[in-house]
């Protein structure tokens, strides 16, 4: 096994990866920016290397500095976490030429998955359902008009190099197609440096369902069932669950087979996700994510598989620890992403010092977090405070347990989206499993949040008052100890 791994990431995911390393007896190396000097993941690591200023472009995306840390520390492998360099084919290439194991798929697989048009074509050829659309990039306006006509409005124009909802636009009628093609191409050119766009039929109320897969270098591939990630806002997922409430045994059989085939045709090795849109009983391939995903814990919770350990073992050349017949779903898991943001003000980030912090616990509760009381959340990175996951024997009990865990969660000092999560857990449509990617708008969730945020504030208020007295007591004790020591000196 590897003896030392560098984690090229920060926050909760850096800790998640290092936890697996610690259990496997592997030494851990953190890299950190100026803004993360006091972060928990830096304290958690066996060693830590400074890699630059707060801006990600100069630290967590700075390959020269990261490779310096890799070589200086004598790390044999690098785990990229999610975001940052995790899906950067050039980084993978450089790892290979430097003799470092990248814990993830090959450069070629990442490049192929990064091109949406190429991925679509590959999957279609393999017989996996794709959304009706153009096989090639749009060549000119006439091509766009005739293709959209044939597909039938509404259509969606997407950039081939796009992702995360950037560089895509819905077109309701023919009069808008020319203008939308041009504007999407222009966005794609400036954001991704590639103006290739394609057209698909627009699905009005889809559900986002994805399959977790594991593939090793010995041709073993398994899927670890499904997750549903329909509750999102502006392409930021907020709540995920496993399995999907839309799933039946028959559908899982078919989608799981498609997911495995998708992994095979792109020579996938490591942990990955095949994303689908599901609409009116049909499913369609959407994208491949070639990284460990934020929401991986809910799959771990219902399958009992440690995805990070599997990743590390696969990267070392080992075999997946199970066969498909060994994969079983036990119960239900839900994850709420706890963000430092104001759900009543357009979910604007709310960085700042966490003055008081107590995370929930008890039966069936898992918290993946990178913060502590006294820690200051930096404005330079995403606003994720923690991922709160619960397990229960069934979905309704998982919802009750999540409500209980949200009730226990105390975060004073920054605004959080906890009231939003409470509102969703209390929502009848959510409880019925009636989800679509438009859920938050369709169900007027924010109106409910207003009331719940008020409750949260009064809880915070009384806690803050208690904290004042606590702090005074602490200050008094500190002063007394100081005086005592001075006197002895
Ligand atoms: C779509 C779609 C409807 N029809 N494609 C959004 C992100 C990008 N990865 C693909 N996305 C979508 N593609 C067709 N043909 C709706 C979305 C979409 C979406 C997808 C998954 C999760 C949330 C979403 C929110 C809005 C739109």
């Amino acid at each position: 096994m590897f003896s030392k791994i560098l984690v090229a990431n920060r926050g909760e995911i850096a800790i998640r990866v290092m936890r697996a390393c610690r259990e496997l007896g592997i030494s851990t190396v953190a890299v950190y920016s100026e803004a993360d000097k006091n972060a928990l993941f830096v304290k958690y690591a066996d060693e830590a290397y400074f890699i630059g200023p707060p801006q990600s472009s100069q630290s967590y995306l700075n390959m020269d500095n990261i490779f310096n840390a890799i070589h200086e520390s004598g790390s044999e492998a690098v785990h990229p976490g999610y975001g940052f360099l995790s899906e950067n084919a050039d980084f993978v290439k450089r790892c290979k030429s430097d003799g470092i194991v990248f814990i993830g798929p090959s450069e070629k697989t990442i490049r192929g998955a990064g091109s949406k048009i190429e991925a679509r074509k590959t999957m279609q050829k393999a017989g996996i359902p794709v959304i009706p659309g153009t096989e090639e990039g749009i060549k000119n306006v006439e091509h766009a008009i005739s293709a959209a006509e044939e597909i039938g409005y509404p259509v969606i124009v997407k950039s081939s190099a796009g992702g995360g909802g950037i560089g895509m636009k819905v077109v309701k009628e023919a009069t808008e197609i020319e203008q939308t093609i041009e504007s999407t191409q222009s966005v794609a050119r400036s954001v991704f440096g590639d103006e290739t766009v394609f057209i698909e039929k627009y699905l009005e109320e889809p559900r986002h369902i994805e399959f977790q897969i594991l593939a090793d270098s010995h041709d073993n591939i398994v899927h670890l069932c499904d997750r549903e990630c329909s509750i999102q806002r502006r392409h930021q997922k907020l709540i995920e669950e496993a399995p999907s409430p839309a799933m039946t045994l028959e559908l899982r059989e078919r989608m799981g087979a498609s997911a495995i085939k998708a992994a095979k045709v792109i020579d996938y090795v490591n942990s990955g996700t095949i994303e689908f849109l599901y609409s009116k009983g049909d499913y369609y391939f959407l994208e491949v994510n070639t990284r460990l995903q934020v929401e991986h814990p809910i799959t771990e919770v219902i399958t009992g598989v440690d995805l990070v350990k599997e990743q590390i073992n696969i990267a070392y050349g080992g075999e997946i620890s199970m066969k498909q017949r060994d994969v079983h779903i036990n119960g239900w898991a839900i994850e709420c992403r706890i963000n430092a943001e104001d759900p009543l003000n357009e979910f604007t980030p709310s960085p700042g010092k966490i003055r008081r912090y107590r995370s929930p616990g008890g039966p069936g509760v898992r918290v993946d977090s990178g913060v502590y009381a006294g820690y200051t959340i930096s404005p330079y990175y995403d606003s994720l405070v923690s991922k709160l996951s619960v397990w229960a024997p069934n979905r309704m009990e998982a919802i009750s347990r999540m409500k209980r865990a949200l009730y226990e969660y105390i975060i004073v000092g920054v605004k959080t989206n906890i009231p939003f999560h409470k509102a969703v857990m209390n929502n009848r449509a959510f409880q019925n499993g009636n989800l679509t990617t438009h859920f938050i708008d369709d169900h007027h969730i924010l109106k409910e949040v207003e009331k719940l945020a008020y409750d949260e504030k009064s809880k915070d208020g009384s806690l803050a008052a208690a904290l004042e007295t606590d702090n005074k007591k602490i200050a008094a004790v500190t002063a007394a100890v100081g005086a005592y020591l001075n006197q002895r000196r």
Side-chain angles (χ1 to χ4, degrees), residues 16-17 29 42 58 76 89 115 156 186 201 221 226 258 262 285 385 412-413 457:
R16 166 68 191 91
V17 172
V29 181
V42 178
Q58 295 179 59
E76 302 151 64
S115 162
I156 183 167
S186 148
K201 176 82 190 164
I221 307 187
D226 35 288
S258 288
F285 166 81
V385 172
V412 180
K457 228 178 178 167

Side-chain angles (χ1 to χ4, degrees), residues 131 156 158 163-165 168 200-204 206 208 229-230 232 235 275 277 286-287 437-438:
I131 302 168
I156 183 167
K158 294 182 175 180
M168 53 177 243
E200 278 181 352
K201 176 82 190 164
Y202 178 64
L203 305 178
E204 305 263 4
H208 174 128
C229 314
S230 294
Q232 54 83 45
H235 307 290
E275 291 187 351
L277 287 184
L286 191 62
E287 281 173 29
T437 53
H438 305 292

Side-chain angles (χ1 to χ4, degrees), residues 209-215 221-227 242 255-256 259-260 263 268 270-276 289-300 302-303 305-308 310-311 314 324 327:
I209 300 175
E210 57 188 31
F211 272 70
Q212 174 69 52
I213 53 163
L214 282 175
I221 307 187
V222 300
H223 76 76
L224 296 174
C225 302
D226 35 288
R227 298 185 285 256
M255 289 182 80
I260 286 180
Y268 205 87
N270 216 269
S271 156
T273 298
I274 314 295
E275 291 187 351
F276 297 96
N289 295 136
T290 58
R291 59 174 187 275
L292 179 72
Q293 295 210 213
V294 176
E295 60 271 26
H296 77 276
I298 51 177
T299 296
E300 297 187 321
I302 60 159
T303 62
V305 174
D306 186 316
L307 288 168
V308 180
E310 294 292 335
Q311 279 192 297
I314 290 168
Q324 191 65 54
V327 176

Side-chain angles (χ1 to χ4, degrees), residues 145-339:
I145 292 169
S146 66
E149 205 62 51
E150 196 183 321
I151 294 163
Y153 289 93
V155 298
I156 183 167
V157 179
K158 294 182 175 180
S159 344
S160 181
I166 303 166
M168 53 177 243
K169 198 155 190 284
V170 179
V171 186
K172 295 246 157 66
E173 47 186 293
T175 55
E176 302 161 6
I177 188 80
E178 179 169 356
Q179 203 275 322
T180 307
I181 292 287
E182 277 161 13
S183 68
T184 312
Q185 281 174 333
S186 148
V187 169
R189 197 182 315 119
S190 68
V191 181
F192 309 112
D194 171 4
E195 66 165 24
T196 315
V197 300
F198 62 104
I199 301 177
E200 278 181 352
K201 176 82 190 164
Y202 178 64
L203 305 178
E204 305 263 4
E205 300 243 284
R207 300 172 75 129
H208 174 128
I209 300 175
E210 57 188 31
F211 272 70
Q212 174 69 52
I213 53 163
L214 282 175
D216 65 24
S217 55
H218 306 273
D219 285 337
N220 300 303
I221 307 187
V222 300
H223 76 76
L224 296 174
C225 302
D226 35 288
R227 298 185 285 256
E228 172 141 7
C229 314
S230 294
I231 310 282
Q232 54 83 45
R233 185 183 171 277
R234 299 202 178 150
H235 307 290
Q236 286 296 112
K237 293 172 183 170
L238 289 165
I239 300 172
E240 301 98 337
E241 59 185 297
S244 163
M247 204 50 62
T248 62
L249 288 179
E250 184 269 336
L251 183 61
R252 181 173 293 126
E253 196 73 33
R254 285 193 291 138
M255 289 182 80
S258 288
I260 286 180
K261 192 178 240 178
K264 265 195 190 135
V265 295
I266 58 171
D267 292 325
Y268 205 87
V269 172
N270 216 269
S271 156
T273 298
I274 314 295
E275 291 187 351
F276 297 96
L277 287 184
Y278 176 79
S279 172
K280 299 180 178 142
D282 290 317
Y283 70 89
Y284 308 90
F285 166 81
L286 191 62
E287 281 173 29
V288 184
N289 295 136
T290 58
R291 59 174 187 275
L292 179 72
Q293 295 210 213
V294 176
E295 60 271 26
H296 77 276
I298 51 177
T299 296
E300 297 187 321
V301 163
I302 60 159
T303 62
V305 174
D306 186 316
L307 288 168
V308 180
K309 284 187 186 170
E310 294 292 335
Q311 279 192 297
I312 293 170
N313 181 44
I314 290 168
Y316 190 69
E319 293 196 40
I320 305 167
S321 72
M322 83 227 65
K323 300 286 176 203
Q324 191 65 54
R325 64 173 176 277
D326 305 320
V327 176
H328 301 289
I329 295 182
N330 178 25
W332 208 279
I334 303 176
E335 171 183 276
C336 287
R337 297 192 189 185
I338 309 298
N339 295 332

Side-chain angles (χ1 to χ4, degrees), residues 31-93:
V31 289
Y32 64 98
S33 75
E34 180 70 34
D36 280 335
K37 277 187 298 197
N38 299 317
L40 193 58
F41 74 94
V42 178
K43 301 174 203 283
Y44 192 98
D46 296 315
E47 295 168 64
Y49 289 77
F50 176 73
I51 50 162
Q55 295 81 357
S56 302
S57 60
Q58 295 179 59
S59 49
Y60 298 105
L61 293 171
N62 184 330
M63 292 194 208
D64 288 340
N65 291 4
I66 290 172
F67 275 99
N68 279 341
I70 291 174
H71 293 307
E72 222 172 289
S73 61
S75 300
E76 302 151 64
V78 56
H79 194 300
Y82 52 70
F84 298 127
L85 296 169
S86 62
E87 293 175 287
N88 186 316
D90 293 332
F91 183 66
V92 181
K93 188 177 177 180

